[in-house]
Amino acid sequence: MQYIRIIYLLFLCSNVTFAMSQEESYPIHPDAEVQPNVPQGTVTQYSLDDSKTFPGTRREYFVYVPAQYDAASPAALMVFQDGAGYTNRKGQWRVPTVFDNLIHRGEMPVTIGLFINPGVTPSANDAAQDRFNRSFEYDSVSDRYATFLIEEMIPLLRKDYAISDDPNLRGIGGSSSGAIAAFGVAWHRPDQFRRVFNTVGTFVGLRGGNEYMTLVRKTEPKPLRVFLQDGSNDLNIYGGDWWMANQTMLRALQWAGYAVQHNFGTGGHNGKHGGSILPDAMKWLWADWTTPIATSTEKHSELADVLIPGEDWELVSSGHKYTEGPAVAPDGSVYFTDGPNNEIWKVAADGKNATKFAEVEAAGGLMFDAKGNLYCSQNKAEKLTRISPDGTQHVLMSGHGCNDLVVLPNGIFFTDPPAKAIWFMVLDEKTNSVGKPQRVGTGPELPNGIIVTPDKQFLLVNDAVGRHVWSYRIGNSGKLEFGQPYHYVHQAQDAIRSGADGSTMTRDGRLLVATPMGVQLFDQPGRAHVIFSRPKVSGPLSNCVLAGEGMSTLYVTSGSDVYRRKTKLSGIAPWQDTVKPEKPRL
């Protein structure tokens, strides 16, 4: 088929067109040669013409099955991008022969190989050009390609072969853009893939791949084992410097405490060096495959200050429709909402028991005052309700959207996403009465989560569309002054919106924001230092709060569930006494 031949030629050209003038030469590894008395596996070619993830694309893929495969024992899996180039037993990579030899000697498990070409969308006629999906599929910094593998390709493979569910028995590799694709799959879905083989990886600014090195340093380590190869004569073009980028990636992985190995040389942007070392890379990558790949935060200076070794996410409550609005009460208990069910739930101070507390229409964000009154935003119902300790409900405001709120002794701030507004109502603590809402702030395209600094001088408002948290100084009568898009929120490079939702605050002035990437921890100047892992891969991560002993347990609402995790942080709630944080390092 013409489009398959074209994409294969594109792959070959990417490996040679930009090579330096000097001729590179590397010996063929003995394990890439057919050895006597070593049983050979088979390679079978298939095609996929109806992808759901990449509509309209067509592609070929190839399946290697080792001679030792037994359907009664699920096999390990290794996936390669630009698949056709890896299957030739006389070519540059010779993966089937390498696998034959290593599996025969027990240096890697019985492994099925899945070799996938990038997709092509054929044009409607010969007068037009096809659409080539390689860069879109491979260079994008998102979980889209991982979804394609997990939800489409692996199920196809499983129709005929038994594949292990253990992510420690799944590897993925590639060269150039295929390399960043391999890393991206494991990075976004370590629950599915944990061993990564990269040669001349495109960790540069084609589609945001240069961001990976920063995310590696800031994100809680994932259980990955990574092999990197590159050469000092690799590309240096409009998208970046491949040689420098791969060194930066290596240093980031090493700094963050990953299991990483590398083999750097002087070659160019091709597979000559990578092909010659592939057998040794596979031996390292699959070493001790019966032992799960572990992670550690003890050598990660940022994480060591906030996480407790061995303390992971713990499920608190499940089975809800959509959880939101966690708030800590003066007695230490934690409350959250299930908006679609019009419910507010209470978690005991010890975190061990969750019971339904009240029914409130379209319950959303929650916040307590120092007297134990609970305030509930009701965005869809355009209301704000106060619930007294005895359970009495009183509607304080109606007629405005109310997504999230902060309750201070002198008033209530709340966000109104439809109106792109921030409102303030004067609160009289003596009479428990409130004034008419006044529009006091604009800026965020979609104002969402809201919190106040420990000194109660600055209001922080998340923009669910933009990639910043806005900071305002609180003036007289709740007027917001000097608003700035202040905290820089990390988001997937091809994401349309940041998805920044609810937030909470530490006593030393650090901000935590629930985002699709995980809970992000910012210093006072607005820089993200840490991105906590998500408690589960899928579903929204809507909000967070610190509670428990020393206000050090982080609670998060995630879709139908609520989780908690013990940390070294110390939180503060708006109903607590004012604290002046120390001056930050600038």
Side-chain angles (χ1 to χ4, degrees):
M1 299 166 66
Q2 183 180 6
Y3 64 90
I4 295 299
R5 289 195 296 270
I6 291 175
I7 200 62
Y8 181 49
L9 288 173
L10 284 173
F11 171 58
L12 293 178
C13 288
S14 73
N15 281 338
V16 299
T17 302
F18 299 102
M20 303 303 289
S21 59
Q22 67 268 27
E23 182 69 23
E24 296 175 52
S25 179
Y26 298 92
I28 297 175
H29 196 288
D31 287 331
E33 298 275 23
V34 174
Q35 301 293 331
N37 302 317
V38 173
Q40 294 188 13
T42 60
V43 176
T44 307
Q45 180 176 331
Y46 301 88
S47 63
L48 174 65
D49 297 335
D50 57 350
S51 171
K52 295 180 176 60
T53 310
F54 302 110
T57 58
R58 299 176 180 177
R59 73 191 70 225
E60 288 180 336
Y61 66 96
F62 308 80
V63 178
Y64 161 84
V65 180
Q68 297 87 347
Y69 169 73
D70 181 353
S73 300
L77 174 65
M78 186 83 189
V79 177
F80 287 89
Q81 279 59 247
D82 295 305
Y86 290 91
T87 60
N88 187 348
R89 290 182 179 271
K90 294 295 183 180
Q92 196 169 67
W93 299 100
R94 306 184 178 199
V95 172
T97 299
V98 172
F99 279 22
D100 288 343
N101 292 326
L102 299 190
I103 292 171
H104 176 69
R105 293 202 305 268
E107 292 178 305
M108 65 182 290
V110 174
T111 304
I112 286 179
L114 177 59
F115 306 84
I116 310 170
N117 284 347
V120 176
T121 302
S123 62
N125 55 64
D126 292 339
Q129 185 57 271
D130 298 339
R131 184 176 69 192
F132 300 95
N133 241 35
R134 185 172 185 267
S135 179
F136 176 61
E137 293 180 11
Y138 289 179
D139 294 319
S140 296
V141 181
S142 74
D143 64 354
R144 187 183 293 110
Y145 186 68
T147 299
F148 167 69
L149 293 183
I150 295 163
E151 297 185 1
E152 296 192 54
M153 295 306 303
I154 293 178
L156 277 177
L157 197 60
R158 278 187 156 154
K159 290 182 178 180
D160 298 311
Y161 305 104
I163 306 296
S164 175
D165 289 322
D166 184 355
N168 289 284
L169 292 178
R170 290 188 184 176
I172 185 166
S175 182
S176 187
S177 292
I180 192 175
F183 182 83
V185 168
W187 175 260
H188 289 101
R189 296 300 302 270
D191 63 313
Q192 297 286 329
F193 289 89
R194 295 187 177 177
R195 301 177 192 271
V196 184
F197 172 66
N198 276 189
T199 63
V200 295
T202 304
F203 298 107
V204 296
L206 299 188
R207 292 178 179 267
N210 53 302
E211 183 76 1
Y212 270 132
M213 287 76 93
T214 299
L215 295 178
V216 165
R217 290 177 179 269
K218 293 187 177 185
T219 304
E220 186 176 344
K222 303 169 188 280
L224 305 181
R225 191 170 175 88
V226 183
F227 186 94
L228 299 173
Q229 175 276 330
D230 199 23
S232 56
N233 284 308
D234 202 346
L235 299 180
N236 185 12
I237 57 173
Y238 74 97
D241 186 324
W242 269 245
W243 169 235
M244 299 305 296
N246 275 272
Q247 292 180 84
T248 303
M249 173 59 87
L250 173 64
R251 289 177 65 83
L253 290 165
Q254 290 172 331
W255 183 87
Y258 280 81
V260 58
Q261 182 61 275
H262 71 286
N263 191 322
F264 287 168
T266 60
H269 195 74
N270 55 59
K272 295 179 180 180
H273 185 200
S276 71
I277 64 172
L278 185 142
D280 292 331
M282 290 297 109
K283 293 174 191 176
W284 179 84
L285 202 64
W286 287 101
D288 301 322
W289 73 79
T290 58
T291 303
I293 298 171
T295 60
S296 173
T297 60
E298 296 179 23
K299 295 182 180 180
H300 192 299
S301 58
E302 297 289 337
L303 289 166
D305 290 339
V306 299
L307 293 181
I308 300 172
E311 291 289 349
D312 207 342
W313 292 107
E314 173 189 358
L315 183 63
V316 174
S317 185
S318 62
H320 308 280
K321 283 189 176 180
Y322 185 82
T323 59
E324 244 281 23
V328 57
D331 67 0
S333 54
V334 174
Y335 291 66
F336 66 90
T337 61
D338 183 351
N341 282 326
N342 303 315
E343 297 172 346
I344 298 176
W345 285 68
K346 175 182 177 180
V347 181
D350 60 8
K352 296 181 179 180
N353 187 33
T355 56
K356 189 166 75 172
F357 168 72
E359 293 187 2
V360 177
E361 180 186 8
L366 299 175
M367 186 69 70
F368 279 90
D369 64 19
K371 297 179 181 179
N373 295 304
L374 177 60
Y375 298 74
C376 178
S377 65
Q378 301 159 264
N379 195 42
K380 292 184 178 180
E382 295 189 334
K383 296 178 184 178
L384 193 161
T385 296
R386 178 172 59 208
I387 306 174
S388 63
D390 64 8
T392 302
Q393 297 186 22
H394 178 61
V395 176
L396 300 180
M397 182 280 301
S398 61
H400 295 288
C402 183
N403 186 70
D404 205 354
L405 72 166
V406 165
V407 180
L408 300 178
N410 66 329
I412 302 171
F413 289 98
F414 64 90
T415 54
D416 182 356
K420 301 182 181 180
I422 305 163
W423 301 86
F424 178 76
M425 296 191 304
V426 173
L427 175 63
D428 188 327
E429 282 193 302
K430 294 182 179 180
T431 63
N432 278 338
S433 61
V434 296
K436 183 179 179 181
Q438 302 294 321
R439 187 169 184 155
V440 293
T442 59
E445 182 69 18
L446 194 69
N448 198 339
I450 185 171
I451 198 65
V452 69
T453 53
D455 51 24
K456 297 182 175 64
Q457 293 298 304
F458 293 89
L459 190 73
L460 307 180
V461 182
N462 301 338
D463 188 347
V465 171
R467 66 180 315 156
H468 291 90
V469 176
W470 284 65
S471 175
Y472 305 85
R473 192 177 75 179
I474 301 174
N476 297 328
S477 302
K479 180 181 178 181
L480 298 181
E481 305 170 333
F482 317 126
Q484 293 183 163
Y486 191 70
H487 298 73
Y488 180 86
V489 181
H490 288 283
Q491 66 184 59
Q493 289 301 98
D494 63 350
I496 297 174
R497 51 191 291 172
S498 72
D501 206 329
S503 55
T504 194
M505 182 65 63
T506 67
R507 294 184 69 83
D508 59 4
R510 288 183 286 179
L511 173 70
L512 292 99
V513 179
T515 75
M517 298 186 76
V519 177
Q520 301 187 34
L521 175 65
F522 300 84
D523 62 12
Q524 288 184 58
R527 303 167 296 202
H529 283 232
V530 168
I531 303 176
F532 292 92
S533 66
R534 295 170 52 94
K536 58 183 181 180
V537 173
S538 60
L541 190 64
S542 60
N543 215 322
C544 57
V545 73
L546 286 161
E549 184 177 355
M551 298 277 281
S552 63
T553 300
L554 179 62
Y555 284 78
V556 297
T557 47
S558 180
S560 60
D561 306 317
V562 178
Y563 295 85
R564 69 172 187 166
R565 185 178 191 178
K566 294 180 181 179
T567 74
K568 296 180 182 178
L569 298 169
S570 179
I572 190 169
W575 50 262
Q576 292 181 303
D577 293 338
T578 296
V579 173
K580 180 182 178 180
E582 293 184 3
K583 183 179 178 180
R585 293 181 61 184
L586 303 179

